[in-house]
């Protein structure tokens, strides 16, 4: 992470990745230019590093010149483009390739087209290292695009935030601090996670994601995911990690504006816990706590057999499947206690007693976070 003025930025595109992208653009453009000697026009200030690396890699003769435009004020691309240095040579009849570091709103590009309108160039092509499709509001064709990026503010490799960051050899993305509360509700099958999650979600205005519920929903609707999960679930085994992680990521993405999440039944393995940390990190957020409901095994078996009488769940229907789910929990999932304890995020709560008493115990823990 780096700090520029008042803001923090996190690594986004490495120096090596930028290099590969520039090389790819060089190859493409050199191939299209054939034996013509092109004039590359860099748009200052942002493109200086890109233009420098680009022409060093360019395998054939070329000319280089610059025009200087200014559009950014702080974090926003403004409508008002100022031409600080215009064209200083006659380009009529030439093949011109504009080299831009980034195209977002397209306002600068509009100013460029205005500059070239009366220049009588043979061909005007636009090449941009980065392109934000979500921000682009114009119709001008972009002939060469190095990489599409999301509509987030970036710095480095020529791009700045109020003057700083142009010198960085890699690209960094603005880190926006999100104040989310993300809880992992933990415990063996039958510990009461689903019941308690319903209360917590209302009290703290969180989105509840139960991976078991999402799988059951998919089974009911006979989706491909449901068919795949069913074979594992019916035996009380875990669904493979990658399937579960992809599904969880998609569920989180569906709720991009959430205040936070209660993860119920996820993570269940170390690989899932690591994937969850990565996902939270990509949202500039984190897991605040793992709250574990602690319940004795024999109590669990009795509770699940009781629930099986009305829930219609196949995996609650017989004692041997229930016991294999509990065994699976100790074999694969209980290790996660260590994972979150190492981060000082594990909170054990007695899960035996009335529903209301347990809710109060949970609230007490969350309120101290
Ligand atoms: P649950 O409703 O949490 O008891 O989950 C029921 C079943 O769904 C489990 O026994 C697994 O087969 C499957 N499942 C739910 N969550 C996960 C997960 N995080 N990883 C793998 N399998 C899961």
């Amino acid at each position: 992470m780096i700090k520029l003025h008042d803001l923090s930025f996190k690594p986004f595109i490495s120096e090596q990745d930028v290099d590969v992208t520039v090389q790819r653009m060089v190859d493409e453009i050199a191939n299209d230019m054939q034996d013509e000697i092109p004039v590359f026009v860099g748009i200052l200030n942002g493109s200086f590093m890109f233009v420098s690396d680009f022409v060093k890699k360019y395998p054939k003769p070329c000319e280089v010149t610059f025009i200087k435009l200014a559009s950014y004020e702080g974090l926003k691309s403004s409508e008002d483009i100022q031409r600080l240095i215009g064209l200083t040579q006659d380009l009529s009849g030439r093949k011109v390739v504009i080299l831009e570091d980034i195209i977002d709103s397209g306002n600068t590009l509009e100013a460029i087209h205005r500059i070239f309108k009366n220049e009588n160039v043979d061909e005007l092509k636009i090449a941009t290292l980065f392109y934000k499709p979500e921000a682009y509001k114009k119709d001008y064709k972009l002939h060469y695009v190095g990489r599409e990026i999301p509509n987030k503010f970036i710095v480095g490799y020529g791009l700045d935030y109020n003057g700083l960051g142009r010198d960085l050899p890699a690209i960094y993305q603005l880190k926006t601090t999100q104040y989310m509360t993300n809880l992992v509700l933990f415990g063996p099958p039958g510990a009461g996670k689903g019941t308690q999650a319903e209360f917590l979600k209302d009290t703290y205005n969180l989105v509840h994601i139960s991976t078991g519920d999402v799988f059951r929903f998919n089974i009911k609707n006979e989706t491909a995911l449901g068919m795949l999960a069913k074979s594992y679930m019916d035996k009380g085994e875990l669904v493979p990690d990658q399937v579960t992680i992809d599904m969880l990521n998609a569920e989180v993405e569906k709720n991009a504006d959430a205040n936070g999440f209660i993860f119920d039944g996820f993570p269940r393995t170390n690989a899932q816990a690591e994937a969850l940390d990565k996902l939270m990190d990509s949202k500039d957020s984190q897991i605040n706590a793992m709250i574990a409901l602690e319940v004795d095994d024999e109590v669990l078996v009795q509770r699940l057999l009781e629930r099986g009488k009305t829930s219609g769940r196949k995996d609650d229907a017989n004692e041997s499947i229930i016991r294999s789910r509990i065994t699976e929990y100790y074999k694969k999932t209980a290790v996660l206690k260590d994972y979150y304890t190492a981060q000082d995020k594990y909170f054990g709560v007695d899960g035996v007693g009335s529903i209301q008493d347990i809710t109060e115990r949970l609230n007490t823990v969350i309120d101290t976070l």
Side-chain angles (χ1 to χ4, degrees), residues 69-82 101-105 108 132 135 151-154 159-162 166:
L69 303 171
S71 71
Y72 262 91
E73 277 170 43
L75 297 179
K76 276 223 156 349
S77 174
S78 85
E79 295 275 335
D80 176 27
I81 311 291
Q82 295 186 39
D101 44 317
I102 186 163
I103 289 183
D104 62 17
S105 68
T108 305
K132 292 181 178 173
N151 192 12
K152 292 206 177 159
F153 190 77
I154 59 171
L159 293 142
D160 74 312
Y161 166 49
N162 276 350
R166 292 196 198 278

Side-chain angles (χ1 to χ4, degrees), residues 189 193 211-212 238 264-270 272-273 332-334 336:
K193 299 186 294 283
T211 41
L238 293 187
D264 160 9
F266 190 96
R268 264 175 154 101
T269 63
N270 261 320
Q272 292 182 14
K332 296 201 178 135
T333 307
L336 290 181

Side-chain angles (χ1 to χ4, degrees), residues 211-212 215-216 233 237-239 244 265-266 268 272 313 315 325:
T211 41
F215 282 134
R216 281 183 287 276
M233 287 174 72
E237 292 169 10
L238 293 187
V239 178
T244 312
F266 190 96
R268 264 175 154 101
Q272 292 182 14
R313 280 177 59 167
D315 57 351
R325 284 163 63 200

Side-chain angles (χ1 to χ4, degrees), residues 33 35 45 84 109 126 132 144 164-165 200 209 288 368:
M33 288 299 148
D35 294 328
N45 289 331
L84 306 174
L109 194 55
I126 309 296
K132 292 181 178 173
Y144 306 99
L164 292 182
L200 295 180
I209 299 180
N288 301 87
T368 58

Side-chain angles (χ1 to χ4, degrees), residues 192-209:
K193 299 186 294 283
T195 308
Q196 293 300 335
E198 285 304 309
F199 294 112
L200 295 180
K201 114 182 169 195
D202 292 340
T203 309
Y204 297 98
N205 191 18
L206 304 174
V207 173
H208 172 209
I209 299 180

Side-chain angles (χ1 to χ4, degrees), residues 186 238 267-269 328-337:
F186 193 62
L238 293 187
R268 264 175 154 101
T269 63
E328 190 88 344
Y329 171 80
Y330 285 111
K331 210 166 68 190
K332 296 201 178 135
T333 307
V335 293
L336 290 181
K337 179 175 176 179

